[in-house]
Amino acid sequence: MNQLKRLRHHLTRRRLNPPLGFVHIPKAAGTAVVQRLESVLRPRHFIYGLDRSQFGAFAAFETMPASTRATIFDDENEIPAFADVIAGHLSPKTIHGSYPSAQLITILRTPASRLLSHWFYWRGYGPEVRAQYGDWGKAIAYAQADLGVFLQERQIACVTDNIIVRMLLWPHKLIPDDDFINPRGDDQLLAEAMQALNTFSFVHIIEVPAMMTSLEHWLRRTYGYSFWSQIKNAQRHRSAQIVNVSKSPVVKMTTPLSVQLMNGADNDVKQRTRLDDVLWYNIATRYFNQDQAKTVYARSVTSAVARYEHLNNK
């Protein structure tokens, strides 16, 4: 970056007070949200990363290339202290450990659709991509199996088993790193997760068409909308957004996803989303009545299954 570009970057960016923390639930429109935060806020320092909530009992981070390892915060002390926006697959505890005053936001997606998306997305990670995650690449490779097998793997419960509740409460004595959540703790975990979610400054669901507009309005009310933000926003409307979407898998499904679900994987999905479903419905009923919310959920899952079967056959 030459001096002129460096000066322009400095002059068009701004400090945010208080900082903003984006708890990015995997496969829930996070890439699009990050782009919107960037274009509206124009923060001086934007930090993105992952914490231990995404890796369960895995600790062999030294097996990862330096470029990948640099994005993982093994503990909150590794997070730079100068961020205006701290975003990523991070728990509230991790964000508030470094930025106690940060306002938190998050976006939810119908949990069953999110889970199917996560499985299918990982299926697109070939050996070369998995190698960029060191020994964790072996965990990612579980996605090459059928859905039901994938959902039975305890090592990756950290990303398959009620991940919204896990991220909101991590670490928690009732949430094992390398096993599924025992249903005996459901009531307590749901109460605590809902309490945690209620502390967020902004929560929405991607199934509401106006979600992104609502987010932008909240950002503008909270932080204002600078001249350079308006320019960046105009540029965004003239160009296509790049989003982190599932692509054709490296290994094709031999059994259609709809058949896998009918043959028992549907029960696994229900178990892995039983707590997250309650949270999603709680937020969804702010925008839909109960019957509408159920219809929206069902349509979301049906659409996801059809999409992934289509991509699998390409």
Side-chain angles (χ1 to χ4, degrees), residues 112-120 147 257 261 269 301 304-305 308:
S113 299
R114 190 220 69 80
L115 182 56
L116 295 176
S117 178
H118 203 143
W119 169 66
F120 199 83
L147 179 62
L257 178 54
L261 291 169
V269 171
V301 175
V305 171
Y308 302 139

Side-chain angles (χ1 to χ4, degrees), residues 20 24 52 71 77 84 146 186 197 237 266:
L20 178 69
H24 174 192
R52 290 288 298 273
T71 66
N77 295 323
D84 297 289
D146 282 352
D186 283 6
L197 203 57
H237 284 299
D266 183 55

Side-chain angles (χ1 to χ4, degrees), residues 254-273:
T254 56
T255 304
L257 178 54
S258 55
V259 175
Q260 293 185 46
L261 291 169
M262 288 188 294
N263 287 344
D266 183 55
N267 290 328
D268 295 315
V269 171
K270 289 177 180 177
Q271 279 300 305
R272 304 294 172 260
T273 61

Side-chain angles (χ1 to χ4, degrees), residues 14-312:
R14 56 178 172 153
R15 294 288 188 186
L16 300 182
N17 186 26
L20 178 69
F22 172 39
V23 176
H24 174 192
I25 308 299
K27 308 310 297 175
T31 300
V33 170
V34 165
Q35 290 178 339
R36 193 61 58 94
L37 296 179
E38 164 67 20
S39 66
V40 173
L41 297 177
R42 302 289 287 166
R44 184 73 58 85
H45 296 291
F46 197 128
I47 294 175
Y48 190 94
L50 298 79
D51 66 12
R52 290 288 298 273
S53 70
Q54 301 301 295
F55 297 94
F58 178 83
F61 297 110
E62 73 280 359
T63 64
M64 298 180 177
S67 58
T68 302
R69 178 65 183 86
T71 66
I72 299 169
F73 305 130
D74 196 7
D75 63 61
E76 59 197 39
N77 295 323
E78 294 186 359
I79 301 177
F82 50 76
D84 297 289
V85 175
I86 172 72
H89 303 320
L90 304 166
S91 72
K93 178 183 180 295
T94 297
I95 295 175
H96 277 157
S98 296
Y99 298 92
S101 65
Q103 296 195 89
L104 298 182
I105 68 171
T106 195
I107 308 297
L108 307 185
R109 178 182 181 182
T110 49
S113 299
R114 190 220 69 80
L115 182 56
L116 295 176
S117 178
H118 203 143
W119 169 66
F120 199 83
Y121 185 72
W122 269 15
R123 286 177 67 80
Y125 281 23
E128 292 183 0
V129 176
R130 295 198 297 269
Q132 295 302 308
Y133 292 87
D135 286 353
W136 183 245
K138 300 173 185 176
I140 296 174
Y142 286 133
Q144 303 305 317
D146 282 352
L147 179 62
V149 176
F150 174 73
L151 295 179
Q152 290 295 328
E153 292 293 346
R154 298 177 186 275
Q155 181 185 354
I156 53 173
C158 54
V159 295
T160 63
D161 182 35
N162 295 285
I163 194 171
I164 301 175
V165 168
R166 283 176 174 266
M167 290 183 68
L168 288 174
L169 301 181
W170 183 89
H172 194 286
K173 63 182 180 180
L174 294 180
I175 301 179
D177 287 334
D178 56 356
D179 202 351
F180 307 118
I181 296 171
N182 191 314
R184 287 179 294 182
D186 283 6
D187 289 345
Q188 179 179 340
L189 290 173
L190 277 174
E192 293 183 19
M194 202 62 242
Q195 183 178 14
L197 203 57
N198 287 336
T199 68
F200 279 55
S201 299
F202 181 89
V203 181
H204 218 299
I205 60 173
I206 69 172
E207 291 77 19
V208 174
M211 179 275 289
M212 200 67 78
T213 301
S214 296
L215 173 61
E216 183 166 332
H217 288 168
W218 180 85
L219 293 170
R220 293 174 65 175
R221 288 195 307 271
T222 305
Y223 292 101
Y225 204 48
S226 72
F227 171 74
W228 290 105
S229 296
Q230 295 179 52
I231 292 178
K232 187 67 175 179
N233 194 49
Q235 293 173 343
R236 175 177 56 80
H237 284 299
R238 289 197 299 266
S239 61
Q241 284 189 343
I242 300 174
V243 293
N244 189 11
V245 297
S246 299
K247 299 179 181 180
S248 300
V250 174
V251 178
K252 303 292 186 181
M253 287 183 274
T254 56
T255 304
L257 178 54
S258 55
V259 175
Q260 293 185 46
L261 291 169
M262 288 188 294
N263 287 344
D266 183 55
N267 290 328
D268 295 315
V269 171
K270 289 177 180 177
Q271 279 300 305
R272 304 294 172 260
T273 61
R274 68 183 188 279
L275 302 177
D276 288 354
D277 280 350
V278 177
L279 298 184
W280 183 89
Y281 274 110
N282 186 283
I283 302 302
T285 50
R286 298 178 184 178
Y287 309 101
F288 308 108
N289 63 40
Q290 290 187 354
D291 289 339
Q292 289 173 331
K294 291 179 181 178
T295 299
V296 168
Y297 196 115
R299 286 177 177 172
S300 174
V301 175
T302 299
S303 176
V305 171
R307 171 176 168 73
Y308 302 139
E309 288 191 335
H310 171 72
L311 287 173
N312 184 70

